[in-house]
Every structure is written in C-alpha cells, then in structure tokens.
C-alpha cells in the first residue's frame, strides 16, 4: 500500500474502492510492528481499531460516514480516552484507566476517526527530547541515534515513520512544534483557549494547548476545525465561532503579506549555520513571491526561557500535587505510615526531570520568594505578550527558526541540563503570548536532518496562518 500524505488522498482511494478502512488499519499496524524499535507507541489498540474500521467501512457504504472516515490517528499519552490506560509516560500512573474521553478526542471519534494507539512522550510532557519518559526515548526515524524532540516525540515520529496518518499532541512551550521540526512534519499550536483542555493531563494550565501533527496543512486545518469550539466542561475555552478552516486554505487572488523576522533569532551564536542558511533562503523566496519581509527587533528574547520555566514549574508543582499514591496510580510498597506513603510514592513514581520541576515550582511559590520570582515572571510575561501583539499589529506574520539546532544525539547534553531547556528558546514566545504558531519543514541539513520554520500570527487568526503556511509549503522552493 502506498504512503498517504493527506486525508484527501485516502478519501479518493476509499471512494474508488482501491482500499478500505480495514486495509488502512492493517497497513499501519504492520508498520508499527516493523518499526517498533522507534518506541513511538506505548500501546496499540489493534482489535479495537480493526473493529472501528469495519464500522466506518459500513458507514461509507451507507453514505453516513463522518468527515474523518479513513483518518487513522495516534493519541499522545496525556489525552483521556475512556476505559484506556492514561499514564503520561510516568510510573506514577501505573494501572490507571481514564474514566472519560477528552472533548477534543470525542469530537474526532464522532467524525469517525480511528484511534490506533497511545504514543510515548516526555513524562507529564516535561522535556524537549522524549528522554524523560519512564518507557525510554523515542528514536528519530531518519537517524535512530538522534532524539525525536519533545514532549510530543512519539506523536511526531509516528507521523514521520508512517505509523498513522496524523497524531494529536499537546503544546505547552513548543511540545508540538519542536518535535515536528525535528521530524520534518507539520505541527500546529492553536491560540490558547481555541481547543478545550478537558481531558488533557495538566502540566501548566495557562500554557497547555492541544494541537495536531500531520504531513499536510490541509489535515491540520481539518483536525483543528473539528476539535475547536466551546465546551461546557472547560470554562477557559473560547466562545468564538469556529471558522471552516479546511475550506479557507485557498484565498481568492494571491494575497501579499507583511512579514517580520526577529533579527536576534538569525544572528544568535547558538543557531546552527545550516538553519540560518535555510531561513535566509526561505526569506529570499518569500520576497521573490512578492511579500514584504523585514527584520524586527525583540529585546526580550533573553528573558523568554527563564520566564517560561518559572511560571510553568510553579503551575506544575500545583497540578501534580494530586498524584500522591492515595487516589489512583502507583503506591509504594515500602511505606510504613501516611507520610512515608506520600514521600515514597512520589519519589519512586516521578522521574528526575519531573521531580526537579516540582521542586523548582514549589520554591518559586514559597512565601519568601513568591514576589522575587513568580510575581516578577508574571509581569515579564505580560510585557512579552504586549510586545508580541504590538509586532503582530504591524505585521501579518512573524517567522523564525523553530529550533536552534536540528535533532541532537540521544544523551547529547547529560552534563548541562540548561542546554536542553534552550531548545525551547524560539517556541516559548508564542506560548507566553498565547498566540497561534505552526512549524513547517523548510529544508534539511547535510546529514538529512529536517529543518523547521515557525510562523506566528495574531490570536484567533488561524485561518490566515493556515492558508499562508499551505502557500509556503506549496510555492516556496525548499532549501
């Protein structure tokens, strides 16, 4: 069976009888088994996916199938799916099964998507390389000695390696976009509040957002369109009407845009020269297409990562307090009393990275340091948000590299934990500001490792963002 690049190709073959949904599921199951060394999936729902495929095939025969008929999906292991294990790739949730289905997942199921399994990720979505998972790292298919990116590493590799047509991940500070860049696929972080977070395991609630990872902008638009919208179970979700994103990807005429690129991102000493060259080539291509592309200054780049980690660790220390060995999940066998049960269950159940972030978050929220760190970080976040919005009032889009390097070696920064945090330096700006951002592939380095470019736009302007991204992927020469 051929490799499908988007759902339209699937629908065409379903319509002419070339394949069935059952054929598609068999194809992906065979790929998952053949490439299980990549460690992308934690659990595969073989029998269930085949049964669902038969159901969808019958609906197709009856003319009652949903818009996602033939879409075989994987779910990052932070999304609730009723009666299925949910572990957030952590030992502390051993044995836990979800009691309900996340709103975003249910909306996909209602349109006849087929869920083939749950995917490996950094523990509780904390990491940029998928090395913090309790189940081991995910390997990049292009070079298995390299990381997949994180935290949605399993989700990105599953699409990269053709283990499913699309994945649903989560993005707190770049966890959809960064692995998408490392794997040469498309990763979308919508505007904060565009998609309900009900059923998404909380890491940092004021940042977390569900987003799709796909091989085409068309599929990303359709998945966003279906998942987005008001939800009675999430009071923070936007009440705005959801546009028909998938029908608005080809605007009339050939619009020309004002595009800004943050000069510091391309002049940074930490930026891989091949990424700089790919970005410069893409900028030149955009100009040749008739767009206005100008360098802009953003003087707060050095404050983005510290601000992000102060705020997210603070929220994580609160959100993860519920995992205590009492109500569900892992409980230590070495406990002798209530206090030791709390301590040992959390010490044995959480990995080192999660423990580190809980401790840092608890520290910055402590009475003696709250104003010095947490309050100040909230003020800086407001400045970053305002300055980003100010730039986006002058430009239609901001572009920058998604990552400062291509996929780095597994275990590549064991003695410098801060170095891996800097992998987020270009992605956390959109997260702090709450604006939508997408990563699209724009080339490869000398070793064939993908290079991603990130595009930001105004809040709730996903229609324009997706249309422009599709235009770039179709018209601009890949460097």
């Amino acid at each position: 069976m051929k490799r499908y690049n988007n759902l339209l190709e699937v629908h065409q073959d379903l319509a002419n009888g070339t394949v069935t949904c059952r054929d598609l599921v068999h194809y992906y199951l065979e790929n998952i088994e053949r490439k299980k060394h990549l460690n992308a999936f934690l659990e595969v729902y073989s029998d269930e996916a085949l049964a669902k495929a038969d159901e969808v095939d019958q609906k197709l025969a009856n003319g009652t199938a949903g818009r996602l008929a033939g879409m075989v999906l994987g779910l990052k292991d932070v999304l609730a799916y009723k009666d299925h294990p949910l572990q957030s790739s952590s030992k502390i949730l051993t044995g836990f099964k979800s009691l309900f289905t996340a709103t975003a997942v249910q909306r996909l199921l209602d349109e006849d998507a087929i869920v083939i399994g749950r995917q490996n990720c950094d523990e509780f979505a904390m990491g940029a390389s998928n090395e913090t998972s309790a189940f081991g790292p995910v390997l990049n298919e292009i070079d298995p000695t390299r990381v997949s990116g994180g935290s949605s590493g399993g989700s990105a590799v599953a699409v990269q390696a053709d283990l499913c047509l699309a994945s649903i991940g989560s993005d707190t500070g770049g966890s959809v976009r960064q692995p998408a860049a490392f794997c040469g696929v498309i990763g979308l972080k919508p505007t904060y509040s565009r998609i309900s977070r009900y059923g998404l395991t909380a890491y940092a609630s004021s940042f977390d957002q569900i987003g799709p990872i796909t091989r085409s902008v068309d599929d990303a638009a359709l998945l966003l369109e279906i998942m987005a919208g008001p939800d009675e179970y999430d009071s923070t979700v936007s009440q705005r009407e959801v546009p028909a994103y998938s029908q608005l990807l080809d605007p009339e005429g050939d619009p020309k845009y004002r595009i800004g690129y943050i000069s510091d991102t391309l002049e940074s000493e930490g930026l891989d020269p091949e990424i700089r060259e790919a970005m410069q080539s893409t900028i030149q291509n955009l100009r040749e297409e008739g767009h206005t592309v100008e360098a802009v200054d953003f003087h707060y780049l050095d404050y983005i990562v510290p601000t992000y980690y102060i705020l997210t660790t603070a929220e994580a220390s609160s959100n993860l307090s519920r995992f205590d060995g009492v109500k569900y999940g892992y409980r230590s066998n070495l406990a002798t009393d209530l206090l030791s049960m709390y301590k040992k269950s959390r010490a044995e159940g959480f990995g080192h990275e999660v423990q580190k972030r809980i401790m840092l978050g608890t520290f910055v929220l402590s009475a003696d340091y709250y104003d010095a760190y947490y309050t100040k970080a909230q003020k800086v976040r407001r400045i970053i948000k305002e300055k980003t919005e100010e730039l986006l009032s002058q430009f239609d889009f901001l572009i920058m590299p998604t990552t400062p390097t291509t996929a780095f070696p597994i275990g590549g920064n064991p003695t410098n934990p801060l170095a891996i945090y800097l992998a987020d330096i270009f992605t956390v700006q959109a997260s702090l500001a709450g604006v939508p951002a997408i990563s699209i592939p724009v080339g490869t380095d000398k070793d064939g490792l993908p290079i991603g470019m990130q595009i930001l736009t105004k809040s709730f302007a996903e229609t324009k963002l997706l249309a422009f991204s599709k235009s770039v992927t179709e018209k601009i020469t890949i460097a």
Side-chain angles (χ1 to χ4, degrees):
M1 185 180 291
K2 70 180 183 182
R3 179 187 182 111
Y4 290 98
N5 292 309
N6 55 59
L7 186 59
L8 177 61
E9 293 179 3
V10 174
H11 282 172
Q12 289 171 343
D13 283 356
L14 287 171
N16 63 31
T18 306
V19 298
T20 65
C21 289
R22 188 175 184 85
D23 294 333
L24 291 167
V25 171
H26 271 301
Y27 169 72
Y28 288 119
L29 289 174
E30 289 170 2
N31 283 357
I32 291 170
E33 177 62 26
R34 187 162 49 87
K35 301 179 183 181
K36 61 184 178 182
H37 65 282
L38 297 175
N39 201 28
F41 278 88
L42 298 178
E43 187 174 4
V44 181
Y45 310 139
S46 303
D47 294 339
E48 184 179 326
L50 287 168
K52 177 70 173 179
D54 290 340
E55 177 188 325
V56 178
D57 280 331
Q58 187 59 52
K59 287 186 176 182
L60 285 166
N62 298 336
T64 59
R67 289 186 291 169
L68 294 180
M71 173 71 82
V72 180
L73 290 168
L75 301 178
K76 183 179 179 179
D77 189 27
V78 292
L79 289 161
Y81 187 17
K82 187 175 181 180
D83 297 328
H84 294 76
L86 173 61
Q87 284 191 251
S88 300
S89 292
S90 177
K91 181 180 177 180
I92 204 156
L93 277 172
T94 300
F96 176 72
K97 288 189 176 182
S98 181
L99 303 176
F100 62 94
T101 297
T103 296
V105 175
Q106 188 59 56
R107 289 175 176 172
L108 298 172
L109 293 171
D110 291 344
E111 291 290 344
D112 288 328
I114 300 169
V115 175
I116 201 167
R118 62 185 175 106
Q119 297 162 330
N120 201 351
C121 61
D122 280 300
E123 185 179 9
F124 283 99
M126 298 182 190
S129 62
N130 220 131
E131 293 176 282
T132 71
S133 169
F135 304 101
V138 175
L139 311 184
N140 195 309
E141 188 196 27
I142 294 173
D143 181 352
T145 68
R146 304 275 177 161
V147 300
S148 59
S151 61
S152 306
S155 302
V157 166
V159 176
Q160 174 197 45
D162 201 25
L163 311 183
C164 55
L165 185 59
S167 296
I168 306 301
S170 67
D171 192 307
T172 304
S175 289
V176 161
R177 292 162 285 154
Q178 188 250 26
F182 279 3
C183 294
V185 294
I186 289 164
L188 172 67
K189 183 200 86 71
T191 304
Y192 180 78
S193 81
R194 181 71 284 187
I195 297 175
S196 169
R197 290 183 294 111
Y198 180 72
L200 171 65
T201 305
Y203 163 19
S205 302
S206 72
F207 293 82
D208 295 341
Q209 187 61 78
I210 294 169
I213 297 176
T214 63
R215 281 200 287 276
S216 73
V217 174
D218 299 75
D219 285 358
L222 180 59
L223 290 169
L224 173 62
E225 181 181 330
I226 290 170
M227 291 188 290
D231 177 24
E232 62 179 315
Y233 299 113
D234 182 358
S235 62
T236 67
V237 75
S238 172
Q239 300 301 305
R240 289 181 181 231
E241 182 179 348
V242 179
Y245 298 118
S246 61
Q247 305 300 313
L248 301 170
L249 292 173
D250 300 297
E252 292 185 8
D254 188 14
K256 304 304 178 186
Y257 297 110
R258 282 181 53 79
I259 302 166
Y261 67 91
I262 297 175
S263 55
D264 286 348
T265 64
L266 293 189
E267 295 167 6
S268 170
E269 292 182 2
L271 183 65
D272 187 306
E274 291 184 89
I275 295 180
R276 181 181 295 110
E277 184 179 331
M279 285 296 302
Q280 290 171 339
S281 175
T282 303
I283 288 169
Q284 181 59 34
N285 286 336
L286 289 169
R287 285 174 174 153
E288 290 174 0
E289 285 287 330
H291 302 289
T292 301
V293 187
E294 299 177 3
V296 297
D297 292 325
F298 188 79
H299 301 296
Y300 304 93
L301 206 59
D302 290 341
Y303 302 101
I304 284 178
V305 171
T307 301
Y308 169 77
Y309 277 100
I310 288 172
L311 296 177
T312 56
T313 57
E315 294 185 30
S317 74
S318 175
N319 280 326
L320 271 62
S321 64
R322 71 193 70 179
F323 305 112
D324 54 15
V326 176
K327 297 177 283 293
Y328 42 71
Y330 176 78
R331 180 181 295 177
S332 175
N333 294 322
L334 303 178
T336 56
D337 54 27
L338 182 64
L339 185 59
S340 68
M341 184 195 72
Y342 285 142
K343 289 182 176 180
K344 291 184 179 296
S345 295
R346 287 171 65 83
E348 296 168 14
F350 287 131
H352 293 304
E353 182 64 30
V354 174
Q355 290 183 33
K356 182 166 56 180
R357 297 196 192 195
I358 290 173
M359 292 174 66
L360 178 59
T362 303
F363 173 78
V364 300
L365 289 176
S366 62
D368 291 342
Y369 297 99
Y370 186 91
D371 288 335
Y373 291 101
Y374 184 75
T375 301
K376 188 176 291 184
Q378 288 283 29
K379 293 177 179 178
V380 176
R381 181 183 191 180
R382 181 58 180 248
I383 293 171
I384 291 170
K385 177 178 172 64
E386 290 175 348
K387 294 300 180 182
T388 301
E389 290 174 344
E390 183 180 317
L391 285 176
L392 289 171
S393 69
Q394 302 168 29
F395 294 91
D396 296 294
F397 306 105
L398 295 178
I399 61 173
M400 64 188 77
T402 308
T403 58
T405 69
T406 51
F408 47 84
I410 293 173
N413 292 300
T415 60
N416 184 8
L418 292 179
I420 202 165
Y421 290 174
L422 292 176
D424 297 330
I425 190 168
F426 299 142
T427 54
V428 295
Q429 180 177 354
S431 301
L432 285 163
V435 299
I438 190 171
S439 177
I440 60 174
V442 293
T444 58
D445 69 6
K446 65 180 184 299
D447 297 318
L449 296 170
I451 294 170
M453 180 178 79
Q454 188 182 194
I455 309 170
L456 284 64
T457 193
K458 301 178 184 69
S459 293
F460 299 104
E462 282 89 349
T463 299
K464 189 162 67 172
L465 175 67
L466 290 162
F468 176 65
S469 299
K470 182 179 180 181
S471 173
V472 172
T473 58
E474 290 181 345
K475 294 181 180 179
I476 303 300
T477 303
I478 299 297

